[in-house]
Amino acid sequence: MVVKRGVPLHARILFGLVAGAGAGGISNAILGASSPGLAWTASNITEPVGQFFLRLLLLLVVPLVFSSLVVGVAGMRDIRRLGRVGVKSLVYTLVMSTISVVIGFTLANTIRPGERIRPEISQQLQERYAVDAEKQVAAAPSTTADAPLMKVVKSIVPTNVFTAISKDPPDMLGLMFFALFFGVGLTLIGEARAKPVLGLLEGVFEAVAKCIELVMRLAPIAVFCLLFTMTSRFGFGLLSSLGWYSGAVLLGLSLHMFGVYSLSVAWLSRLNPLDFFRRIKTVMITAFSTSSSNATLPTALRVSEENLGVPRDINSFVLTIGATANQNGTALFEGVTILFLAQLAGVDLTMGQQLMVLYLAILGGIGTAGIPSGSIPFIILVLATIGVNPAMIAIVLGVDRILDMCRTVVNVVGDITAATYVARSEGADLKERPVPAAVDL
Ligand code: ASP
């Protein structure tokens, strides 16, 4: 197909996505994942091209988050407004994450996917992904002897912001805390003194946004490559052998996305849900193809402002923090996966333990890095805590990428629903079509 100049970016990305998944899946089915030609193409062409795009986006995340948050906080000019926006975002995040984890738990406890997987499949998967699992378990953070409150303090407040950002992946919670604090300081020193610093950071923000626009031009080809690499290696067969588990995750994500978010958008943001989803489709496609909330942040910031009319200061605050700290899809996924693996391991969780996992999954949605497979280290940690062998993570690694693509969409859309809610409640004029009477409750 010849792509004409006038075809919008999201349509070209979608084309790359479908074509890449189709070409990879068909090659996998015809040639088999072990075909040397196919493996060579994936490792030497499509994977480097896809990673080039993804790494460019991630490269821009630290300057983007810092400049966007400081400019956003200082742009509010008033500490009280900042406080209100902060409290609303926090309450919204906690309520929505709890709903998402409860949906996941209900599905995992009714469908009981861990009791439906055939033992030989579970055995095969454990063997096939054993090496990857070992690497993941070795890299996962270990539990420290710190008291719970101390852990929270340490994970939010770094002692050196440069050490925080030089980690891989960067410590986003630490960076965000510093940016927020710095933004508050800047607001308090008065406009005249703050002006030069703000001017500089606004310039940084604009320049980074321009770089992102340039990177996004590569998106159609890069997304083709990312999808081709994935489906040529894994095919679609794995999804069916883990059908009950994947089905429970996907059903939960769909209920949250189209049920809970639609209600939130209609009731709290007073927007037409269909129109809302239509306006943010570029963001959804970008999240799906990159599997990274952080890499999608720039697109989300632009689309939320241009297509929905959310004011820039609210976007900078809610979306930037939300990319790391508001991950409903991740929280749901983590809850279902932990229950699934516990069921499979025959570990019967008491009500108290289930409540603990529920609480941890909600926290997981806040603390998980917004990068591909950011959930895995967290799940390993919780498995060890509840007495399930962490190496069992091997069972889900093969389907993680596709589930990651879906949960990242839910994560990012959740940030935008939060931003529209906060904007509406702060009296902003959102771009909209009127909400039809049926949902205008
Ligand atoms: N990939 C997800 C995100 O960036 C995080 C995860 O659940 O792995 O939002």
Side-chain angles (χ1 to χ4, degrees):
M1 178 182 135
V2 181
V3 179
K4 281 188 273 148
R5 272 184 154 247
V7 178
L9 182 64
H10 69 81
R12 282 183 285 140
I13 302 179
L14 191 62
F15 176 74
L17 193 145
V18 174
I26 293 170
S27 321
N28 175 289
I30 297 176
L31 304 169
S34 46
S35 137
L38 190 56
W40 187 91
T41 310
S43 307
N44 291 283
I45 301 177
T46 57
E47 190 173 32
V49 174
Q51 286 299 320
F52 176 65
F53 167 74
L54 208 56
R55 294 174 72 100
L56 279 180
L57 285 177
L58 291 173
L59 171 70
L60 297 167
V61 164
V62 167
L64 179 83
V65 164
F66 183 71
S67 57
S68 155
L69 258 184
V70 175
V71 170
V73 169
M76 291 194 194
R77 292 216 177 89
D78 169 5
I79 298 290
R80 268 169 309 179
R81 176 165 149 93
L82 173 66
R84 271 199 322 269
V85 169
V87 169
K88 283 179 194 165
S89 312
L90 181 71
V91 172
Y92 185 88
T93 300
L94 288 177
V95 171
M96 294 300 257
S97 304
T98 309
I99 297 177
S100 74
V101 182
V102 169
I103 294 178
F105 263 55
T106 313
L107 290 173
N109 278 319
T110 32
I111 298 177
R112 304 200 68 79
E115 289 166 12
R116 292 173 186 263
I117 182 167
R118 293 211 309 276
E120 66 276 14
I121 300 257
S122 134
Q123 186 62 34
Q124 276 168 18
L125 289 172
Q126 292 215 48
E127 282 162 15
R128 183 158 157 198
Y129 292 102
V131 179
D132 290 344
E134 260 169 42
K135 275 192 222 149
Q136 296 271 8
V137 172
S142 53
T143 38
T144 55
D146 290 330
L149 188 59
M150 191 62 202
K151 275 188 205 158
V152 175
V153 171
K154 280 191 176 171
S155 64
I156 295 181
V157 191
T159 50
N160 179 342
V161 69
F162 295 104
T163 321
I165 57 176
S166 61
K167 287 185 188 155
D168 187 22
D171 167 10
M172 297 309 284
L173 287 181
L175 172 67
M176 289 187 315
F177 179 81
F178 176 67
L180 280 178
F181 200 22
F182 185 76
V184 170
L186 216 50
T187 313
L188 294 177
I189 58 174
E191 227 175 306
R193 307 281 302 274
K195 218 170 166 196
V197 184
L198 264 180
L200 175 76
L201 286 175
E202 272 163 8
V204 171
F205 180 79
E206 299 283 333
V208 173
K210 191 41 113 194
C211 293
I212 285 156
E213 207 183 296
L214 297 177
V215 177
M216 285 307 286
R217 292 194 193 166
L218 294 176
I221 294 173
V223 165
F224 174 93
C225 291
L226 286 169
L227 268 286
F228 182 93
T229 311
M230 184 191 80
T231 52
S232 69
R233 286 188 178 153
F234 302 123
F236 295 111
L238 260 181
L239 263 187
S240 62
S241 48
L242 284 171
W244 287 104
Y245 160 70
S246 313
V249 173
L250 295 176
L251 179 62
L253 292 176
S254 315
L255 288 174
H256 195 69
M257 170 102 165
F258 298 111
V260 179
Y261 285 164
S262 295
L263 290 177
S264 162
V265 165
W267 286 347
L268 301 174
S269 318
R270 308 224 134 233
L271 294 173
N272 176 330
L274 275 183
D275 189 44
F276 169 83
F277 286 120
R278 200 175 50 77
R279 284 174 193 256
I280 60 165
K281 54 184 180 287
T282 308
V283 179
M284 295 200 279
I285 296 171
T286 311
F288 187 78
S289 36
T290 58
S291 299
S292 168
S293 298
N294 283 344
T296 311
L297 177 61
T299 314
L301 285 168
R302 186 177 50 75
V303 168
S304 175
E305 185 177 340
E306 285 173 11
N307 294 3
L308 293 167
V310 175
R312 186 176 278 198
D313 60 343
I314 292 188
N315 268 335
S316 303
F317 185 89
V318 181
L319 296 185
T320 308
I321 297 193
T324 298
N326 178 28
Q327 301 190 341
N328 297 177
T330 290
L332 186 148
F333 166 78
E334 289 173 346
V336 175
T337 305
I338 293 161
L339 290 195
F340 164 68
L341 293 175
Q343 287 164 1
L344 190 59
V347 174
D348 216 358
L349 298 179
T350 60
M351 197 58 197
Q353 280 175 311
Q354 289 226 10
L355 283 177
M356 187 185 78
V357 174
L358 188 125
Y359 162 76
L360 287 175
I362 295 171
L363 286 188
I366 297 177
T368 296
I371 54 170
S373 294
S375 296
I376 302 299
F378 179 82
I379 295 175
I380 290 174
L381 206 65
V382 178
L383 289 178
T385 320
I386 58 171
V388 175
N389 181 359
M392 283 189 76
I393 195 72
I395 294 172
V396 299
L397 285 185
V399 284
D400 182 52
R401 187 59 193 238
I402 179 76
L403 299 182
D404 196 2
M405 296 162 82
C406 301
R407 66 184 184 254
T408 306
V409 176
V410 177
N411 290 344
V412 175
V413 173
D415 299 335
I416 303 185
T417 63
T420 53
Y421 151 64
V422 174
R424 179 67 93 194
S425 72
E426 289 288 309
D429 260 340
L430 298 178
K431 291 185 187 167
E432 59 189 311
R433 283 209 323 238
V435 182
V439 284
D440 190 10
L441 297 169

